[in-house]
Every structure is written in structure tokens, then in C-alpha cells.
Amino acid sequence: MNLDDFVDLIERPDGGIRRDAEERRERLVPPPGALGRLDELGEWLAAAQQQVPVKPIERPRAVLFAGDHGIAELGVSARPAGSAHRLVRAVIDGESSVAVLARRFAVPVRVVDMALDCDPAELPGEVTRHRVRRGSGRLDIEDTLTAEEAEQAFRTGMAIADEEADAGTDLLVLGDLSVGGTTAAATLTAALCGTDASVVTGRGGAGIDDLAWMRKCAAIRDGLRRARPVLGDQLQLLATVGGADLTAITGFLLQSAVRRTPVILDGVVSAACALVAQRVAFRAPDWWLAGQASGEPAQEKALDRIALTPLLDHGVTVGEGAGALLALPLVQAAAALAGELPERAEEQTEQSEQAEDA
């Protein structure tokens, strides 16, 4: 599999259309700058959609990749190792944070099992049909995936992005359901940013105590020693310390950019995968928004390197795509304002231009 192909396949959102959107914004009734960052979002959406005025966001979809990580056996997470299937079940039963928000915002949710450590019969077939393996390997002492499993997971992520684009999804909300996933994400981020483990080690979505934080930091440091020799090969890097769910998310992000489908990132896991994807294709981040700041140091490091600024900062650490979903109404509002606000009458426009000249 040649990841270099993505460099040629991914184009930036249409710059000419964005300039047209900026010019139209100058003619709207609210004065320039009055809508703050919503103006920027509207112009970005126009470029992504290749049309002015912007169409409303009518078919968003939340896609959550699920998996267990062997590193959780070391007690680096507040949740028991191998328990990610409980997070999935809560989403399916409508009892999780993301399920409640998705119901409120009328957003369909798709859960994709990449490496849950449970009997597939415990979950619906449409959830488990893409599973690569039962739990990813321990990143501190072994590869999380074989080369074949990594390619399978990556291609699965690509295929799901294609399915969503073909179904007419106009905005993707990305999330993860994992135990041990933040440890893998921090390891990837530290490796790609050239930082020490302590700089990127956070407390995770459920929060861990100081002893668990020390174990997590040590695990990331061990993973870094294994990751650094393969930094030149992004797929091998994901196989070494990423795991099946993070590998699938990376493929999903890149193929979504190929298909010109905007994505809202959630927390540290999606940010780390976005960082890997940026290394593959430097134009890909132009198709993504950072939904929220989770407070995880690895997320902050990754987003800074990608040059994405979170839309929200409410201290949401629950994960699951909840923070990204919270940002969705803001993006929809930007689309509505950019597309539906009336332009000033010609006389008002001339007066405004004269005032600016004076």
C-alpha cells in the first residue's frame, strides 16, 4: 500500500470559491467582523462545498471507531482493560453522553468495532463486521498490529469514509470508544513531535490518579523507544504503537479529505491520528475542524502542530465524540448565517464603502 498517493489525491478546498464567499460576506447586513469566527467557518464551508452561498448542513453523521488496547493491562486507564465494549453498548442503548447529544441534535451514530476484546456475538453484526482482531497488542513491548492487520484497518477506515461520502453525508463528526487509546495517541504524538513522554501524558477521559499517571508515562516512554525507528513509515508507525482503531481513523481522515468531506475532530485520539495523516498528506488538515479542547496535553501538542484551533473549550473530557458533536451546532449556525443572511441594499453598500474610504 503506497500512502504517497494521498499527496496527489487530496486537494485543498477551493480558494477561488473562498474568495467569492469573502466578497459576499462584505455585502451582508451585519458588518464585517460582527459574527467573529462564524464568518471564517462559513467561508471555509463554502470552499469545501465549492459553492456560494453555503448550503445548510443537513446530513451530518457521527462515526465512532472502537477498540481495546493491550497497554490497558498495565493500569494506565481508569477503566478496566478490555472493557471498551461497555462503552459501545452504552452508545447502542442510547445511554452514553454522545448518544444523548446525538439524539438531541438528530444526528445518526455509526459505531465501528476495530479491536474490541469481547465475543462478537455480544454486539450487533453491523458493529462488529469490520473487526481486525480481538484487542490491539501492548505497545510498550510488542507491535500493536501485524503489517497485514494494519493495512486491513487502514483500508477499512478508507472504505467507511467512501461509504459515508456515497451516502450523501455532508459533515462527519469523528470519535472513538477505547480503553487505552489515549496512551497510544500520546505515544504517536510524542514520536511525531519529538517530545518526551512526560510532556504528552494526560489523565485520560475518565481521569487517573498519580500512580496510574506514572505507569502511563512509563508505558509511553517504552512505546517511544519502539516508535522512533519507524517514523519514516506512517503505516508501520501505526502498526507499532497505534492499534487497529487509530489506524482505521487515520485512513478514514485521509479518504474523507480525498472525497472532500469535512470532518470535526474530537479529542486526543482523533488529534493524534490527524497528526499522522498530516505526515502522509500535508493538505489533508484543510478539510478538518478541531471541535473542542479536551485538556489532554497530547491533543494540544498535536493540534498546534497541525495548526488547528478548537472551536470550543468547555473542559469536556468524556471522549466518545461528545466534544466534536457539541461543536456541530456552531458549524451549522455558521452555514445558516452565511447562506441565509440578506445582502445590504446597493445604497447601503455604497455608503459603507464611502465611510471606509473616509
Side-chain angles (χ1 to χ4, degrees):
M1 178 170 200
N2 185 9
L3 300 189
D4 291 340
D5 291 342
F6 284 104
V7 176
D8 297 323
L9 291 171
I10 295 174
E11 299 178 355
R12 286 196 164 99
D14 196 309
I17 296 293
R18 179 155 192 161
R19 286 188 292 274
D20 291 344
E22 291 170 353
E23 291 174 2
R24 181 176 188 276
R25 175 63 188 91
E26 294 292 324
R27 301 191 299 270
L28 298 184
V29 171
L35 296 176
R37 196 170 176 190
L38 293 176
D39 283 338
E40 177 189 339
L41 284 174
E43 292 157 7
W44 176 80
L45 283 168
Q49 294 177 359
Q50 293 187 289
Q51 82 166 51
V52 177
V54 177
K55 294 184 298 185
I57 303 296
E58 294 182 331
R59 301 191 68 179
R61 174 93 152 185
V63 180
L64 314 179
F65 290 87
D68 282 293
H69 293 258
I71 198 66
E73 298 169 8
L74 299 183
V76 299
S77 173
R79 296 187 177 94
S83 64
H85 66 282
R86 298 177 192 169
L87 301 175
V88 172
R89 174 51 63 185
V91 173
I92 294 171
D93 294 343
E95 298 173 351
S96 71
S97 300
V98 73
V100 171
L101 291 171
R103 190 161 57 243
R104 170 58 58 184
F105 299 152
V107 176
V109 178
R110 180 178 187 177
V111 179
V112 184
D113 169 14
M114 297 303 304
L116 291 175
D117 189 8
C118 69
D119 187 335
E122 296 180 34
L123 296 169
E126 66 267 21
V127 171
T128 60
R129 65 190 178 95
H130 291 297
R131 182 185 291 187
V132 170
R133 57 181 284 168
R134 183 163 175 164
S136 297
R138 263 183 60 178
L139 61 84
D140 61 328
I141 59 172
E142 63 182 348
D143 287 351
T144 58
L145 303 170
T146 65
E148 293 76 16
E149 289 168 342
E151 181 168 342
Q152 180 184 348
F154 194 94
R155 289 189 183 277
T156 295
M158 292 175 59
I160 290 168
D162 281 333
E163 289 172 9
E164 293 301 328
D166 292 341
T169 300
D170 53 12
L171 184 66
L172 290 160
V173 178
L174 177 60
D176 70 283
L177 300 164
S178 63
V179 175
T182 64
T183 303
T187 305
L188 287 170
T189 301
L192 291 171
C193 293
T195 59
D196 184 69
S198 62
V199 176
V200 296
T201 305
R203 302 279 175 171
I208 53 176
D209 60 24
D210 290 345
L211 286 176
W213 183 89
M214 292 170 64
R215 291 193 294 269
K216 184 174 181 178
C217 191
I220 293 170
R221 189 171 292 121
D222 289 341
L224 274 174
R225 283 196 286 267
R226 304 186 61 258
R228 287 183 181 123
V230 296
L231 281 177
D233 185 335
Q234 304 308 310
L235 193 57
Q236 181 59 49
L237 175 64
L238 289 163
T240 302
V241 295
D245 48 348
L246 275 70
T247 303
I249 290 172
T250 305
F252 176 83
L253 283 169
L254 286 165
Q255 190 62 17
S256 294
V258 171
R259 297 299 303 271
R260 308 181 69 88
T261 310
V263 181
I264 304 179
L265 309 177
D266 185 41
V268 62
V269 170
S270 56
C273 296
L275 184 59
V276 178
Q278 182 202 39
R279 287 296 186 97
V280 175
F282 66 95
R283 287 185 286 264
D286 289 353
W287 293 95
W288 312 327
L289 295 171
Q292 59 112 22
S294 68
E296 283 283 310
Q299 186 206 24
E300 182 179 359
K301 196 80 176 173
L303 292 181
D304 179 68
R305 187 60 63 94
I306 303 169
L308 292 179
T309 303
L311 296 175
L312 302 174
D313 187 357
H314 296 324
V316 176
T317 63
V318 69
E320 306 176 1
L325 201 51
L326 283 169
L328 175 62
L330 191 66
V331 180
Q332 290 176 313
L337 290 167
E340 299 175 27
L341 279 173
E343 296 185 18
R344 296 192 301 273
E346 186 175 340
E347 181 180 343
Q348 291 176 302
T349 303
E350 290 176 356
Q351 290 175 352
S352 176
E353 290 174 351
Q354 290 171 0
E356 289 177 4
D357 293 339

